[in-house]
Amino acid sequence: MSTAETSRFVRLRVELVLEVTDEEAVTKAALRRLAAESDMPAAERVPAESAVREDAAEALAYLVDPFDLVGEVPGVDLQQASWSSEQVEYDPDSPDWDLDEDDVDEGDAGDDEGDGEDGGRVSGG
């Protein structure tokens, strides 16, 4: 693909930390959503309902849908999405939860052009 073709695609990364204050409400809402999915085969529905009943994080995964986030955004067409949820220990004061740390691309870390012996040039071979 040329640069012009690839520039149309954008990877949007979103990370949320939610506090579940009413696990029963979350579970019931997820079970209602599963019941409303008429095209889900029974072979998939039974284990899904079981997982939702056992784990609030699984219930949230059925309730939070990336398609809902961008479905009404004009001028975009969602090409691919994946998401997961897990229970975590959360300390908002911990540096582990600093959301700004992801602002620097991993490929940019420590990449200071011109600091190397070759004057920042990339040599082939």
Side-chain angles (χ1 to χ4, degrees):
M1 280 189 184
S2 72
T3 303
E5 289 173 332
T6 58
S7 65
R8 297 179 318 167
F9 297 95
V10 175
R11 180 183 305 252
L12 177 66
R13 293 184 181 154
V14 177
E15 183 170 334
L16 305 170
V17 176
L18 306 173
E19 179 181 4
V20 177
T21 59
D22 187 344
E23 191 169 325
E24 185 177 343
V26 172
T27 300
K28 285 181 180 180
L31 289 171
R32 281 193 300 273
R33 173 154 303 175
L34 282 168
E37 291 186 27
S38 58
D39 59 339
M40 180 181 278
E44 291 178 25
R45 184 179 308 278
V46 172
E49 289 174 347
S50 177
V52 162
R53 284 187 180 96
E54 293 173 14
D55 186 359
E58 284 290 327
L60 279 168
Y62 279 95
L63 293 171
V64 177
D65 186 343
F67 297 99
D68 293 342
L69 294 173
V70 297
E72 300 298 319
V73 176
V76 299
D77 185 23
L78 182 62
Q79 297 296 306
Q80 180 180 357
S82 66
W83 65 105
S84 63
S85 61
E86 62 184 342
Q87 292 185 355
V88 296
E89 295 296 321
Y90 177 65
D91 176 4
D93 297 325
S94 169
D96 292 339
W97 291 98
D98 182 11
L99 295 180
D100 292 332
E101 73 182 39
D102 290 337
D103 289 346
V104 176
D105 289 342
E106 291 176 15
D108 292 345
D111 185 18
D112 294 329
E113 231 180 79
D115 288 346
E117 291 180 9
D118 64 354
R121 292 182 303 260
V122 177
S123 57

